mmCIF file of all heavy atoms in Angstrom:
data_model
loop_
_atom_site.group_PDB
_atom_site.id
_atom_site.type_symbol
_atom_site.label_atom_id
_atom_site.label_comp_id
_atom_site.label_asym_id
_atom_site.label_seq_id
_atom_site.Cartn_x
_atom_site.Cartn_y
_atom_site.Cartn_z
ATOM 1 N N ARG A 26 -59.927 52.678 -58.075
ATOM 2 C CA ARG A 26 -61.007 51.995 -58.705
ATOM 3 C C ARG A 26 -60.697 50.506 -58.769
ATOM 4 O O ARG A 26 -60.763 49.921 -59.811
ATOM 5 C CB ARG A 26 -61.310 52.581 -60.059
ATOM 6 C CG ARG A 26 -61.766 54.062 -59.898
ATOM 7 C CD ARG A 26 -62.245 54.707 -61.158
ATOM 8 N NE ARG A 26 -63.534 54.061 -61.508
ATOM 9 C CZ ARG A 26 -64.012 54.162 -62.766
ATOM 10 N NH1 ARG A 26 -63.387 54.787 -63.703
ATOM 11 N NH2 ARG A 26 -65.129 53.629 -63.038
ATOM 12 N N PHE A 30 -51.967 49.892 -57.295
ATOM 13 C CA PHE A 30 -50.785 50.515 -57.891
ATOM 14 C C PHE A 30 -49.719 50.581 -56.785
ATOM 15 O O PHE A 30 -49.926 51.117 -55.758
ATOM 16 C CB PHE A 30 -51.043 51.951 -58.405
ATOM 17 C CG PHE A 30 -51.946 51.981 -59.645
ATOM 18 C CD1 PHE A 30 -53.312 51.921 -59.517
ATOM 19 C CD2 PHE A 30 -51.413 52.025 -60.934
ATOM 20 C CE1 PHE A 30 -54.126 51.954 -60.635
ATOM 21 C CE2 PHE A 30 -52.202 52.070 -62.081
ATOM 22 C CZ PHE A 30 -53.535 52.028 -61.902
ATOM 23 N N ASP A 72 -44.356 51.501 -71.345
ATOM 24 C CA ASP A 72 -45.783 51.302 -70.958
ATOM 25 C C ASP A 72 -46.142 49.897 -70.565
ATOM 26 O O ASP A 72 -47.246 49.639 -70.129
ATOM 27 C CB ASP A 72 -46.666 51.823 -72.067
ATOM 28 C CG ASP A 72 -46.544 53.289 -72.351
ATOM 29 O OD1 ASP A 72 -46.509 54.055 -71.332
ATOM 30 O OD2 ASP A 72 -46.541 53.689 -73.570
ATOM 31 N N GLU A 75 -49.696 48.783 -71.434
ATOM 32 C CA GLU A 75 -50.810 49.757 -71.267
ATOM 33 C C GLU A 75 -50.851 50.550 -72.632
ATOM 34 O O GLU A 75 -49.874 50.526 -73.380
ATOM 35 C CB GLU A 75 -50.497 50.723 -70.123
ATOM 36 C CG GLU A 75 -50.533 50.073 -68.750
ATOM 37 C CD GLU A 75 -52.032 49.798 -68.284
ATOM 38 O OE1 GLU A 75 -52.959 49.691 -69.101
ATOM 39 O OE2 GLU A 75 -52.159 49.701 -67.064
ATOM 40 N N PRO A 76 -51.980 51.194 -72.862
ATOM 41 C CA PRO A 76 -52.059 52.015 -74.159
ATOM 42 C C PRO A 76 -50.903 53.024 -74.222
ATOM 43 O O PRO A 76 -50.489 53.599 -73.221
ATOM 44 C CB PRO A 76 -53.419 52.741 -73.969
ATOM 45 C CG PRO A 76 -54.214 51.844 -73.134
ATOM 46 C CD PRO A 76 -53.224 51.247 -72.142
ATOM 47 N N SER A 77 -50.374 53.192 -75.399
ATOM 48 C CA SER A 77 -49.211 54.016 -75.633
ATOM 49 C C SER A 77 -49.368 55.432 -74.970
ATOM 50 O O SER A 77 -50.330 56.109 -75.212
ATOM 51 C CB SER A 77 -48.917 54.199 -77.119
ATOM 52 O OG SER A 77 -47.785 54.955 -77.362
ATOM 53 N N GLY A 78 -48.320 55.819 -74.215
ATOM 54 C CA GLY A 78 -48.305 57.134 -73.595
ATOM 55 C C GLY A 78 -49.109 57.287 -72.328
ATOM 56 O O GLY A 78 -49.193 58.411 -71.720
ATOM 57 N N THR A 79 -49.689 56.221 -71.814
ATOM 58 C CA THR A 79 -50.533 56.351 -70.603
ATOM 59 C C THR A 79 -49.838 55.943 -69.291
ATOM 60 O O THR A 79 -50.393 56.087 -68.235
ATOM 61 C CB THR A 79 -51.821 55.490 -70.739
ATOM 62 O OG1 THR A 79 -51.408 54.127 -70.844
ATOM 63 C CG2 THR A 79 -52.694 55.941 -71.887
ATOM 64 N N ALA A 80 -48.576 55.392 -69.402
ATOM 65 C CA ALA A 80 -47.912 54.875 -68.181
ATOM 66 C C ALA A 80 -46.523 55.405 -68.028
ATOM 67 O O ALA A 80 -46.158 56.169 -67.133
ATOM 68 C CB ALA A 80 -48.035 53.374 -68.114
ATOM 69 N N PRO A 83 -46.071 59.404 -68.260
ATOM 70 C CA PRO A 83 -46.488 60.104 -67.049
ATOM 71 C C PRO A 83 -45.560 59.863 -65.848
ATOM 72 O O PRO A 83 -45.365 60.778 -65.037
ATOM 73 C CB PRO A 83 -47.888 59.529 -66.726
ATOM 74 C CG PRO A 83 -48.435 59.064 -68.008
ATOM 75 C CD PRO A 83 -47.166 58.563 -68.778
ATOM 76 N N ARG A 102 -48.954 47.521 -61.605
ATOM 77 C CA ARG A 102 -50.450 47.571 -61.467
ATOM 78 C C ARG A 102 -51.032 46.169 -61.522
ATOM 79 O O ARG A 102 -50.675 45.318 -62.382
ATOM 80 C CB ARG A 102 -51.026 48.364 -62.680
ATOM 81 C CG ARG A 102 -52.546 48.389 -62.655
ATOM 82 C CD ARG A 102 -53.153 48.997 -63.910
ATOM 83 N NE ARG A 102 -54.587 49.086 -63.786
ATOM 84 C CZ ARG A 102 -55.386 49.269 -64.882
ATOM 85 N NH1 ARG A 102 -54.842 49.367 -66.070
ATOM 86 N NH2 ARG A 102 -56.707 49.334 -64.674
ATOM 87 N N ILE A 107 -61.973 47.283 -63.340
ATOM 88 C CA ILE A 107 -62.613 48.518 -63.827
ATOM 89 C C ILE A 107 -61.663 49.187 -64.786
ATOM 90 O O ILE A 107 -60.531 49.513 -64.373
ATOM 91 C CB ILE A 107 -63.041 49.377 -62.685
ATOM 92 C CG1 ILE A 107 -64.083 48.655 -61.769
ATOM 93 C CG2 ILE A 107 -63.590 50.704 -63.207
ATOM 94 C CD1 ILE A 107 -64.434 49.434 -60.531
ATOM 95 N N LEU A 108 -62.051 49.415 -65.990
ATOM 96 C CA LEU A 108 -61.253 50.211 -66.919
ATOM 97 C C LEU A 108 -61.193 51.655 -66.558
ATOM 98 O O LEU A 108 -62.164 52.253 -66.133
ATOM 99 C CB LEU A 108 -61.856 50.092 -68.346
ATOM 100 C CG LEU A 108 -61.884 48.674 -68.991
ATOM 101 C CD1 LEU A 108 -62.622 48.703 -70.326
ATOM 102 C CD2 LEU A 108 -60.494 48.141 -69.109
ATOM 103 N N LEU A 109 -59.963 52.211 -66.578
ATOM 104 C CA LEU A 109 -59.741 53.586 -66.174
ATOM 105 C C LEU A 109 -59.718 54.577 -67.351
ATOM 106 O O LEU A 109 -59.887 55.795 -67.066
ATOM 107 C CB LEU A 109 -58.374 53.718 -65.409
ATOM 108 C CG LEU A 109 -58.206 52.847 -64.156
ATOM 109 C CD1 LEU A 109 -56.875 53.005 -63.540
ATOM 110 C CD2 LEU A 109 -59.345 53.122 -63.131
ATOM 111 N N GLY A 110 -59.650 54.156 -68.479
ATOM 112 C CA GLY A 110 -59.534 55.053 -69.691
ATOM 113 C C GLY A 110 -58.159 55.682 -69.750
ATOM 114 O O GLY A 110 -57.413 55.627 -68.751
ATOM 115 N N SER A 111 -57.903 56.309 -70.856
ATOM 116 C CA SER A 111 -56.547 56.839 -71.026
ATOM 117 C C SER A 111 -56.224 57.934 -69.997
ATOM 118 O O SER A 111 -55.175 57.976 -69.361
ATOM 119 C CB SER A 111 -56.428 57.513 -72.473
ATOM 120 O OG SER A 111 -56.436 56.483 -73.434
ATOM 121 N N GLY A 112 -57.163 58.868 -69.783
ATOM 122 C CA GLY A 112 -56.936 59.924 -68.773
ATOM 123 C C GLY A 112 -56.753 59.377 -67.398
ATOM 124 O O GLY A 112 -55.888 59.822 -66.625
ATOM 125 N N GLY A 113 -57.531 58.381 -67.029
ATOM 126 C CA GLY A 113 -57.438 57.792 -65.708
ATOM 127 C C GLY A 113 -56.127 57.071 -65.549
ATOM 128 O O GLY A 113 -55.510 57.101 -64.438
ATOM 129 N N LEU A 114 -55.653 56.391 -66.557
ATOM 130 C CA LEU A 114 -54.378 55.690 -66.468
ATOM 131 C C LEU A 114 -53.221 56.714 -66.345
ATOM 132 O O LEU A 114 -52.311 56.502 -65.533
ATOM 133 C CB LEU A 114 -54.104 54.845 -67.740
ATOM 134 C CG LEU A 114 -54.947 53.603 -67.887
ATOM 135 C CD1 LEU A 114 -54.760 52.926 -69.248
ATOM 136 C CD2 LEU A 114 -54.645 52.638 -66.721
ATOM 137 N N ILE A 115 -53.270 57.787 -67.128
ATOM 138 C CA ILE A 115 -52.217 58.818 -67.055
ATOM 139 C C ILE A 115 -52.162 59.372 -65.555
ATOM 140 O O ILE A 115 -51.127 59.501 -65.011
ATOM 141 C CB ILE A 115 -52.475 59.943 -68.049
ATOM 142 C CG1 ILE A 115 -52.211 59.397 -69.486
ATOM 143 C CG2 ILE A 115 -51.607 61.172 -67.716
ATOM 144 C CD1 ILE A 115 -52.698 60.362 -70.585
ATOM 145 N N ARG A 116 -53.363 59.674 -65.046
ATOM 146 C CA ARG A 116 -53.366 60.223 -63.646
ATOM 147 C C ARG A 116 -52.940 59.155 -62.631
ATOM 148 O O ARG A 116 -52.241 59.509 -61.668
ATOM 149 C CB ARG A 116 -54.823 60.742 -63.368
ATOM 150 C CG ARG A 116 -55.185 62.014 -64.023
ATOM 151 C CD ARG A 116 -56.526 62.551 -63.506
ATOM 152 N NE ARG A 116 -57.652 61.680 -63.819
ATOM 153 C CZ ARG A 116 -58.303 61.628 -64.984
ATOM 154 N NH1 ARG A 116 -57.901 62.387 -65.939
ATOM 155 N NH2 ARG A 116 -59.282 60.787 -65.159
ATOM 156 N N ALA A 117 -53.316 57.887 -62.817
ATOM 157 C CA ALA A 117 -53.006 56.876 -61.886
ATOM 158 C C ALA A 117 -51.533 56.613 -61.845
ATOM 159 O O ALA A 117 -50.870 56.594 -60.820
ATOM 160 C CB ALA A 117 -53.769 55.585 -62.217
ATOM 161 N N TYR A 118 -50.884 56.385 -63.010
ATOM 162 C CA TYR A 118 -49.493 56.112 -63.050
ATOM 163 C C TYR A 118 -48.608 57.342 -62.674
ATOM 164 O O TYR A 118 -47.738 57.256 -61.839
ATOM 165 C CB TYR A 118 -49.059 55.614 -64.427
ATOM 166 C CG TYR A 118 -49.368 54.161 -64.680
ATOM 167 C CD1 TYR A 118 -50.482 53.762 -65.427
ATOM 168 C CD2 TYR A 118 -48.544 53.192 -64.167
ATOM 169 C CE1 TYR A 118 -50.792 52.456 -65.669
ATOM 170 C CE2 TYR A 118 -48.874 51.828 -64.342
ATOM 171 C CZ TYR A 118 -49.972 51.445 -65.055
ATOM 172 O OH TYR A 118 -50.286 50.123 -65.250
ATOM 173 N N GLY A 119 -48.970 58.470 -63.247
ATOM 174 C CA GLY A 119 -48.256 59.697 -62.911
ATOM 175 C C GLY A 119 -48.400 60.107 -61.434
ATOM 176 O O GLY A 119 -47.417 60.491 -60.792
#
Side-chain angles (χ1 to χ4, degrees):
R26 299 187 69 197
F30 289 85
D72 295 317
E75 292 285 23
S77 181
T79 61
R102 178 188 185 197
I107 298 174
L108 296 175
L109 301 180
S111 294
L114 288 172
I115 291 169
R116 286 188 298 278
Y118 280 101

